[in-house]
Amino acid sequence: MENTAKKRILSGIKPTGELTLGSYIGAIKNWVSLQDEYDCLYMLADMHSITVRHDPAVLRRRTLEQLAQYIACGLDPEKNILFIQSHIPAHAELAWVLNCYTMVGELNRMTQFKEKSAKHTENINAGLYDYPVLMASDILLYNADLVPVGEDQKQHVELCRDIAARFNGIYGDVFKIPEPFIPKLGARIMSLDDPASKMSKSEESNGSVLLMDEPNIIKAKFRRAVTDSETCVRYDPENKKGVSNLMTIYSVCTGYTYEQIENDFSGKGYGEFKTAVGDAVVETLRPIREEAKRLLADKAYLNSVITKGAENAGRIAYRMLSKVYKKVGFYRP
Ligand code: TRP
């Protein structure tokens, strides 16, 4: 699996909230398209999940479901290393070292920390503050060249680069400096009921389509999608956010270009367009939902993927951790 000729990719999603159509189009679908060309590791970031209060039983269940969904979306466990973050203690161990090379001023500037601490005023814990350092260790442990993330995580990848460069400045070339990798199309699928904000996994509202939603639910959600008072299917993400978002979704699900979509629906109402988008999404998600259900019934298989992922990821991670420990002067007999 380790192939030095290929560039390495690492990314992950926290198993908080249900995966959505936005997670699929914005992240996982792109990961699938990278699996042949790159040497990829995809993580379930369960340690990042506990920075806000959560239900342990739900976290446990969602972790397994998310793994099944990764595979059902097309991530092949034979081609990628799929693993659970907490199975590799090196993430926490490297995070401690990196903490000592991260400035409090840098963490104070993190937008996500500022937003989350404003939202959870009763629980501004040190883990929430330290979140980007754990994320830096996720990336640096594996010598990742590229880190596919959404816009909202770019600042964290930039901080990771700064930490790595600072460490390298002191100890020589220990870490590879990673690049954020932001996919062009469909990087950001917006909420169906509020097209100005991202389709989030935590919001289980009408605005998010879940990967596991049944067809009738999906169709109803699209019928209710917010559009505008014009009746013209036209791509204009500035002025027609709702319609443009639906066009992006439709384009990804059918392969049609925006121009084709505009032509096909010229003179037709939004009702017809929304029905077509809903139907296309139903067909895109159907095989994923069915395969995820089938996999979830085969826990022995999922557990074997997890065990193998932990072995393969652990091997890479511990090589890096021991290099770092040596560099900083931790004594080893
Ligand atoms: N913080 C990321 C998010 O919320 C998830 C994540 C954790 C991640 N560790 C990572 C993404 C390492 C890329 C690389 O989406």
CSV table of all heavy atoms in Angstrom, one decimal, residues 16 24 30 36 42 78 82 99-100 131 147 184 206 212 232 246 250 295 308 311 326:
chain,number,residue,atom,x,y,z
A,16,THR,N,-19.6,12.9,13.8
A,16,THR,CA,-20.7,13.6,14.6
A,16,THR,C,-21.8,14.0,13.5
A,16,THR,O,-21.4,14.4,12.4
A,16,THR,CB,-20.3,15.0,15.2
A,16,THR,OG1,-19.3,15.6,14.3
A,16,THR,CG2,-19.6,14.8,16.5
A,24,TYR,N,-21.0,13.8,0.7
A,24,TYR,CA,-20.7,13.0,-0.4
A,24,TYR,C,-20.2,13.8,-1.6
A,24,TYR,O,-19.1,13.5,-2.1
A,24,TYR,CB,-22.0,12.2,-0.9
A,24,TYR,CG,-21.8,11.4,-2.1
A,24,TYR,CD1,-20.8,10.3,-2.1
A,24,TYR,CD2,-22.5,11.7,-3.3
A,24,TYR,CE1,-20.6,9.6,-3.3
A,24,TYR,CE2,-22.2,10.9,-4.4
A,24,TYR,CZ,-21.3,9.9,-4.4
A,24,TYR,OH,-21.1,9.1,-5.6
A,30,ASN,N,-15.0,13.0,-4.2
A,30,ASN,CA,-13.7,13.4,-4.6
A,30,ASN,C,-12.6,12.4,-4.1
A,30,ASN,O,-11.7,12.1,-4.9
A,30,ASN,CB,-13.4,14.8,-4.1
A,30,ASN,CG,-14.2,15.9,-4.9
A,30,ASN,OD1,-14.2,16.0,-6.1
A,30,ASN,ND2,-15.0,16.6,-4.1
A,36,ASP,N,-7.1,5.9,-7.1
A,36,ASP,CA,-6.1,5.2,-8.0
A,36,ASP,C,-4.8,5.9,-8.2
A,36,ASP,O,-3.8,5.3,-8.3
A,36,ASP,CB,-6.8,4.9,-9.3
A,36,ASP,CG,-7.9,3.9,-9.2
A,36,ASP,OD1,-7.7,2.9,-8.5
A,36,ASP,OD2,-9.0,4.2,-9.7
A,42,TYR,N,-7.8,7.7,4.7
A,42,TYR,CA,-9.1,8.4,5.1
A,42,TYR,C,-9.5,7.9,6.5
A,42,TYR,O,-9.6,6.8,6.8
A,42,TYR,CB,-10.2,8.2,4.1
A,42,TYR,CG,-9.8,8.8,2.8
A,42,TYR,CD1,-9.7,8.0,1.7
A,42,TYR,CD2,-9.6,10.2,2.6
A,42,TYR,CE1,-9.3,8.5,0.4
A,42,TYR,CE2,-9.3,10.7,1.4
A,42,TYR,CZ,-9.1,9.9,0.3
A,42,TYR,OH,-8.8,10.4,-0.9
A,78,GLU,N,-9.3,-1.9,-0.1
A,78,GLU,CA,-8.0,-2.5,-0.6
A,78,GLU,C,-7.1,-1.4,-1.2
A,78,GLU,O,-5.9,-1.6,-1.3
A,78,GLU,CB,-8.3,-3.5,-1.7
A,78,GLU,CG,-9.2,-4.7,-1.2
A,78,GLU,CD,-8.6,-5.5,-0.1
A,78,GLU,OE1,-7.4,-5.7,-0.1
A,78,GLU,OE2,-9.3,-5.9,0.8
A,82,LEU,N,-8.3,3.0,5.4
A,82,LEU,CA,-9.4,3.5,6.1
A,82,LEU,C,-9.2,3.2,7.6
A,82,LEU,O,-9.1,2.0,8.0
A,82,LEU,CB,-10.7,2.9,5.6
A,82,LEU,CG,-11.0,3.0,4.1
A,82,LEU,CD1,-12.3,2.3,3.8
A,82,LEU,CD2,-11.0,4.4,3.6
A,99,ASN,N,2.0,20.7,20.4
A,99,ASN,CA,1.5,21.8,21.3
A,99,ASN,C,2.6,22.7,21.7
A,99,ASN,O,2.4,23.9,21.9
A,99,ASN,CB,0.9,21.2,22.6
A,99,ASN,CG,-0.6,20.9,22.4
A,99,ASN,OD1,-1.3,21.5,21.7
A,99,ASN,ND2,-1.0,19.8,23.1
A,100,CYS,N,3.8,22.1,21.9
A,100,CYS,CA,4.9,22.9,22.4
A,100,CYS,C,5.6,23.7,21.3
A,100,CYS,O,6.5,24.5,21.6
A,100,CYS,CB,5.9,22.0,23.1
A,100,CYS,SG,5.1,21.0,24.4
A,131,TYR,N,-8.0,21.7,19.1
A,131,TYR,CA,-8.4,20.9,17.9
A,131,TYR,C,-7.5,21.0,16.7
A,131,TYR,O,-7.2,20.0,16.1
A,131,TYR,CB,-9.8,21.5,17.6
A,131,TYR,CG,-10.6,20.9,16.5
A,131,TYR,CD1,-11.8,20.2,16.8
A,131,TYR,CD2,-10.3,21.0,15.2
A,131,TYR,CE1,-12.6,19.7,15.8
A,131,TYR,CE2,-11.0,20.5,14.2
A,131,TYR,CZ,-12.2,19.8,14.4
A,131,TYR,OH,-12.9,19.3,13.4
A,147,VAL,N,-4.1,17.6,1.4
A,147,VAL,CA,-5.1,17.4,2.3
A,147,VAL,C,-6.4,18.0,1.8
A,147,VAL,O,-6.6,19.2,1.7
A,147,VAL,CB,-4.8,18.1,3.7
A,147,VAL,CG1,-5.8,17.8,4.7
A,147,VAL,CG2,-3.4,17.7,4.2
A,184,LYS,N,-12.7,21.7,-7.1
A,184,LYS,CA,-13.4,22.8,-7.8
A,184,LYS,C,-15.0,22.6,-7.7
A,184,LYS,O,-15.6,23.3,-7.0
A,184,LYS,CB,-13.0,22.8,-9.3
A,184,LYS,CG,-11.6,23.3,-9.5
A,184,LYS,CD,-11.0,23.0,-10.8
A,184,LYS,CE,-10.7,21.6,-11.2
A,184,LYS,NZ,-10.0,20.7,-10.5
A,206,ASN,N,-34.8,20.0,7.4
A,206,ASN,CA,-35.2,19.9,6.1
A,206,ASN,C,-34.1,20.3,5.1
A,206,ASN,O,-34.1,19.9,3.9
A,206,ASN,CB,-36.4,20.9,6.0
A,206,ASN,CG,-37.2,20.6,4.8
A,206,ASN,OD1,-37.2,19.5,4.2
A,206,ASN,ND2,-37.9,21.6,4.3
A,212,MET,N,-28.6,8.4,4.2
A,212,MET,CA,-29.5,7.3,4.5
A,212,MET,C,-30.9,7.6,4.3
A,212,MET,O,-31.8,6.7,4.6
A,212,MET,CB,-29.1,6.7,5.8
A,212,MET,CG,-27.7,6.2,6.0
A,212,MET,SD,-27.1,5.1,4.8
A,212,MET,CE,-27.7,3.5,5.5
A,232,CYS,N,-36.8,31.0,-13.6
A,232,CYS,CA,-35.9,30.8,-14.7
A,232,CYS,C,-34.7,30.0,-14.1
A,232,CYS,O,-34.1,30.4,-13.2
A,232,CYS,CB,-35.5,32.1,-15.2
A,232,CYS,SG,-34.1,31.9,-16.4
A,246,LEU,N,-29.1,23.9,-6.5
A,246,LEU,CA,-29.8,22.7,-7.1
A,246,LEU,C,-29.2,22.3,-8.4
A,246,LEU,O,-29.1,21.1,-8.7
A,246,LEU,CB,-31.3,23.1,-7.3
A,246,LEU,CG,-32.1,23.3,-6.0
A,246,LEU,CD1,-33.6,23.7,-6.4
A,246,LEU,CD2,-32.2,22.1,-5.1
A,250,TYR,N,-27.7,18.7,-9.3
A,250,TYR,CA,-28.2,18.0,-10.5
A,250,TYR,C,-27.1,17.7,-11.5
A,250,TYR,O,-27.0,16.6,-12.0
A,250,TYR,CB,-29.3,18.9,-11.2
A,250,TYR,CG,-30.1,18.2,-12.2
A,250,TYR,CD1,-30.9,17.1,-11.9
A,250,TYR,CD2,-30.1,18.7,-13.5
A,250,TYR,CE1,-31.7,16.4,-12.9
A,250,TYR,CE2,-30.9,18.0,-14.5
A,250,TYR,CZ,-31.7,16.9,-14.2
A,250,TYR,OH,-32.4,16.3,-15.1
A,295,LEU,N,-23.6,-3.6,4.3
A,295,LEU,CA,-22.3,-3.7,5.0
A,295,LEU,C,-22.5,-3.7,6.5
A,295,LEU,O,-21.9,-4.4,7.3
A,295,LEU,CB,-21.4,-2.5,4.6
A,295,LEU,CG,-20.8,-2.6,3.2
A,295,LEU,CD1,-20.3,-1.3,2.8
A,295,LEU,CD2,-19.7,-3.7,3.2
A,308,LYS,N,-7.4,-4.0,9.9
A,308,LYS,CA,-6.3,-3.8,8.9
A,308,LYS,C,-5.9,-2.4,8.8
A,308,LYS,O,-4.7,-2.0,8.6
A,308,LYS,CB,-6.8,-4.4,7.6
A,308,LYS,CG,-5.7,-4.6,6.6
A,308,LYS,CD,-6.3,-5.2,5.3
A,308,LYS,CE,-7.1,-4.1,4.6
A,308,LYS,NZ,-7.6,-4.4,3.3
A,311,GLU,N,-3.6,-1.3,11.6
A,311,GLU,CA,-2.3,-1.9,11.4
A,311,GLU,C,-1.5,-1.0,10.4
A,311,GLU,O,-0.3,-0.7,10.7
A,311,GLU,CB,-2.3,-3.3,10.9
A,311,GLU,CG,-2.6,-4.3,12.0
A,311,GLU,CD,-2.9,-5.7,11.4
A,311,GLU,OE1,-2.7,-6.0,10.2
A,311,GLU,OE2,-3.5,-6.5,12.2
A,326,LYS,N,13.0,11.2,18.9
A,326,LYS,CA,14.4,11.3,18.8
A,326,LYS,C,14.9,12.7,18.6
A,326,LYS,O,15.8,13.2,19.3
A,326,LYS,CB,14.9,10.4,17.6
A,326,LYS,CG,16.3,9.8,17.8
A,326,LYS,CD,16.7,9.0,16.6
A,326,LYS,CE,16.0,7.6,16.6
A,326,LYS,NZ,16.3,6.9,15.4
